[in-house]
Amino acid sequence: AGCPVPAPLRGDWSAESGYAAGLALAEEPHCTAVFASNDQMALGLLRAFHERGRPVPAEISVVGFDDTPDAAFFIPPLTTVHQDFAEVGRRCVEGVLRQIRTRDDSRPGTDLVPARLVIRDSTAPPRTR
């Protein structure tokens, strides 16, 4: 959309690190959306925004990643990216077995597993200013 992309805030995959990031982001009046590295960090963001009076999704949207079983039960239910972990595991094992069988570990590249967005109640269009 032509907007500047801010530097990422680093976390450690925990709800606690998402909470710390959320406290900082809640003070940014122009922040309208956050994409978290996983659903646990998104959970921490939701709590921080709630505590700081930044309602989700009315003022700020939150998207997680992993589609953990609990994501649908967050308040609000979390919009997240669903990844097929069984397929990721299958492809990893397949790659290791291929390397063992052929004794060739030189095959570089990335094998992308399709993901899908699971839209729930933690996202909405940004409000107009």
Side-chain angles (χ1 to χ4, degrees):
C3 298
V5 178
L9 297 178
R10 305 246 180 244
D12 64 7
W13 305 95
S14 69
E16 184 177 2
S17 69
Y19 177 77
L23 292 176
L25 291 169
E27 303 304 318
E28 298 290 332
H30 299 293
C31 182
T32 61
V34 180
F35 177 70
S37 298
N38 70 354
D39 290 349
Q40 287 301 302
M41 289 184 69
L43 175 61
L45 286 163
L46 292 173
R47 179 174 175 176
F49 295 146
H50 173 75
E51 288 180 1
R52 293 297 189 258
R54 297 286 308 269
V56 174
E59 280 191 22
I60 191 162
S61 291
V62 176
V63 178
F65 195 97
D66 290 335
D67 193 21
T68 58
D70 296 338
F73 298 95
F74 291 0
I75 298 174
L78 183 65
T79 295
T80 184
V81 177
H82 178 87
Q83 182 171 296
D84 185 347
F85 287 106
E87 180 64 14
V88 170
R90 188 189 67 72
R91 291 185 190 193
C92 288
V93 169
E94 198 174 74
V96 168
L97 291 175
R98 182 177 50 254
Q99 289 177 358
I100 291 169
R101 289 181 186 127
T102 64
R103 300 190 191 281
D104 179 14
D105 62 358
S106 64
R107 183 177 162 194
T110 302
D111 190 7
L112 297 177
V113 175
R116 65 182 166 82
L117 182 64
V118 179
I119 300 173
R120 295 193 181 106
D121 297 336
S122 66
T123 53
R127 59 181 191 181
T128 56
R129 295 175 197 235

